[in-house]
Amino acid sequence: MNIRTFLLAALALCALLVAGCGAAGPTTGTVVFGVTSELRAGADIDLLRVVLRVDGHVVHEDALAQKNGQLFFPREFFFSDLEDGAAVEISLEAFGPEDTERPLLTRTASTRVIGGRTLLLRVRLERECVVAPGAATCPAPQTCVAGGCSAPDVDPRQLEPYTTSWNADAEPDLCKPAPGEEPVVLVGEGQADYFPLDDLDEVQVEAGPQGGYHIFVAIRLKNLRRSGSLTVVNGLVPELGYAIEPLEVIFTLDPDEGGFCKLAGLRFRLDGERKIEELLGKVVEIEVTVTDPDGDAGTGRRAVTLSQTIL
């Protein structure tokens, strides 16, 4: 073989080789675990423990609590800029408000990184996978999917590319079905349900189980997220120039009619710097602001008259 023939053969071989005789392909990639839930944050789930592993080693642990406003769905967990072929895994344990020792549900998912690609692995917490007390769980390393035990590993070649709108086709938020619409908050009363109020309507003052005196505030709202929304109740007694200490809570909203959601049983304590005898029969200006995890907020106001008696 002469030199010219040899060079031509070498060039032809280079054209066939993907990794040779040219620039190397991307060596790192990203996997995003997109977690959604059929269980409601704040109602069914009070705490979610998360463990992220790369090649079997723990790289991150977290406990996402409803009381801190950290627990909401959907949410994303990133494994960014890892070497091609790296094994990535997420382990989730969901705990109910009544038992922080025994998880209601456990879920594991894993895959591998493909260099040059950003992949999405969807993980759904399903009601079918809730474990009743004393019932058997899936034997390790299997995990529960659609009520049955399955291998947690997913072939990365079957995964879809990640986009920021990956959850757009997920189950819509009942309390915020059309993001971008103006939030609406209506202030009412009620311990177990929402009852509407007109300005200056009388509301019953009640004695609390641990001292103090309160009224039950309820709200009806729409265009704010059902889970993870912060509700702040403020009150002012204009006649006395008395600002009542605010109440701040994060509770999951309940669906209501007409595209609204509702939240009842907000125990708003009245006394503090003022004795309750000074407040009975007075007008209180109630203001409730709800801010959701997207940063959208709505405010409702109602002036109410405190009862002359204590229940």
Side-chain angles (χ1 to χ4, degrees), residues 41-173:
D44 303 314
I45 305 176
D46 203 50
L47 179 72
L48 184 69
R49 291 180 182 164
V50 184
V51 179
L52 306 181
R53 294 181 175 86
V54 176
D55 291 331
H57 302 289
V58 174
V59 295
H60 182 75
E61 292 184 77
D62 208 348
L64 306 176
Q66 168 70 15
K67 64 181 180 180
N68 297 330
Q70 302 167 320
L71 185 57
F72 55 86
F73 302 100
R75 65 183 312 137
E76 301 172 344
F77 298 92
F78 281 77
F79 290 86
S80 301
D81 300 322
L82 297 178
E83 290 296 319
D84 179 77
V88 293
E89 178 186 275
I90 187 170
S91 296
L92 303 166
E93 289 184 322
F95 295 83
E98 305 299 326
D99 190 347
T100 58
E101 299 298 325
R102 185 189 67 85
L104 287 172
L105 176 152
T106 59
R107 180 74 161 87
T108 303
S110 60
T111 190
R112 291 187 176 273
V113 172
I114 295 180
R117 298 186 63 187
T118 299
L119 303 174
L120 172 68
L121 199 165
R122 297 174 184 256
V123 180
R124 187 163 180 81
L125 305 182
E126 301 162 308
R127 290 190 179 278
E128 295 171 290
C129 292
V130 171
V131 180
T137 59
C138 292
Q142 291 186 322
T143 191
C144 183
V145 180
C149 295
S150 303
D153 195 56
V154 178
D155 188 334
R157 294 171 296 181
Q158 299 176 356
L159 298 180
E160 63 195 279
Y162 168 78
T163 66
T164 55
S165 60
W166 66 269
N167 62 324
D169 60 350
E171 181 179 347
D173 191 315

Side-chain angles (χ1 to χ4, degrees), residues 250-262:
I250 299 176
F251 291 140
T252 298
L253 308 174
D254 295 319
D256 201 8
E257 298 176 348
F260 279 80
C261 286
K262 61 186 176 181

